[in-house]
Amino acid sequence: MALRREPHVLVVSGSDSSGGAGIGRDIETISSLGVRTCLAVTALTVQTHETVMAVHPSQPDLVADQMRAALQANNVTAIKIGMLATAEIVAGVAAVLRENPQVPAVLDPVLVSTSGRALLETDAIAAMKRDLMPFCRLVTPNLFELALLVGAEPAANESDAVRQGRKLLAAGAQALLIKGGHAAGLRSTDILLHFDQEPIRFDTPRLAVSMRGTGCMLASAIAAHLANASPLENSVRKGKLFVFEQLQKKAAE
């Protein structure tokens, strides 16, 4: 019974059979930060580290019921959302968030796999923006995801990224962390945007290493710190540091 009272992150995402990303990476990250997890599986995927061969979405009611059961069973103090696959699953997840506005949610808008396979149906993007993002404490798009969400070409520089981010805020998002991992240059800069505040930049050296699942790791690390009642900016800073340290370890291998 004592375990139930400990802070938990509810992970709402798809499985990755390769173990490189998805729920496996989420659990690994959150557990390494000393926070417990509970789960709602949105999709089963068949994939290697190089390609996604098949995607089998869960039934929307099943996803929502998993979330409600996890929230009933545990002291869920943050929610991490990843791959959602369909507009119907987006709607189901949004319904549960509306029922639990006290729990901060971090949305990693997984739209396309590293190998280029669509992981969210095209008609679900509008539903994500309209129905889900307004109930999430933070949304963490990379530059390509941000461009898809606002219907534009990928930002060419930080000013473009901020401009696109503000469009997404105007559409209802509470806060954004625009990830700079796909940009060019010797530094990797993530930008935290709030509607009525100046951008906050988190800058680290760009490491010459490739690692799958870094987006999952970052959103999960932020959610783990939010689960322990850390303020958003501090949670983002600590999450960014965690991912940078993991990349440093990978580079040293």
Side-chain angles (χ1 to χ4, degrees):
M1 294 297 294
L3 293 180
R4 295 183 182 181
R5 293 194 291 271
E6 293 184 11
H8 284 64
V9 175
L10 169 54
V11 177
V12 183
S13 191
S15 72
D16 175 353
S17 51
S18 76
I23 279 181
R25 182 70 79 180
D26 297 331
I27 295 172
E28 179 184 73
T29 299
I30 295 165
S31 297
S32 72
L33 292 169
V35 180
R36 296 187 175 275
T37 58
C38 45
L39 307 175
V41 181
T42 61
L44 300 177
T45 71
V46 180
Q47 61 180 299
T48 65
H49 294 301
E50 287 74 37
T51 185
V52 178
M53 293 170 281
V55 175
H56 301 279
S58 301
Q59 290 296 317
D61 288 347
L62 176 60
V63 175
D65 287 346
Q66 289 177 83
M67 292 179 68
R68 292 186 177 104
L71 286 156
Q72 179 180 343
N74 303 297
N75 178 28
V76 174
T77 51
I79 300 172
K80 187 271 178 177
I81 304 169
M83 176 186 176
L84 296 178
T86 70
E88 291 77 15
I89 293 176
V90 169
V93 171
V96 178
L97 295 191
R98 285 196 297 271
E99 296 165 5
N100 298 273
Q102 77 283 1
V103 184
V106 179
L107 170 63
D108 179 16
V110 179
L111 306 183
V112 181
S113 70
T114 303
S115 61
R117 172 73 177 257
L119 298 178
L120 182 70
E121 294 176 351
T122 302
D123 65 351
I125 293 177
M128 176 179 281
K129 290 169 60 178
R130 181 186 65 245
D131 300 329
L132 182 59
M133 287 188 183
F135 297 98
C136 295
R137 183 67 185 88
L138 182 69
V139 183
T140 64
N142 62 36
L143 294 176
F144 295 110
E145 291 162 344
L146 178 62
L148 286 170
L149 288 166
V150 300
E153 292 297 316
N157 50 52
E158 284 191 21
S159 295
D160 284 346
V162 170
R163 191 176 303 111
Q164 290 182 3
R166 294 206 181 281
K167 287 184 179 179
L168 206 53
L169 290 176
Q174 296 182 33
L176 297 177
L177 181 67
I178 303 171
K179 298 177 293 192
H182 290 92
L186 297 177
R187 310 289 293 182
S188 177
T189 302
D190 295 352
I191 304 170
L192 179 62
L193 286 181
H194 296 271
F195 190 79
D196 57 352
Q197 298 180 21
E198 289 298 308
I200 300 171
R201 289 171 169 78
F202 302 89
D203 187 65
T204 57
R206 189 178 299 279
L207 300 176
V209 62
S210 177
M211 183 178 182
R212 290 186 60 233
T214 53
C216 301
M217 290 169 60
L218 179 57
S220 293
I222 293 169
H225 289 295
L226 286 175
N228 281 324
S230 180
L232 180 61
E233 183 178 338
N234 288 345
S235 295
V236 170
R237 193 179 305 279
K238 292 174 183 177
K240 175 83 172 175
L241 178 61
F242 175 85
V243 173
F244 182 70
E245 290 173 345
Q246 298 307 303
L247 288 170
Q248 281 184 313
K249 291 178 183 178
K250 179 72 172 179
E253 292 177 355

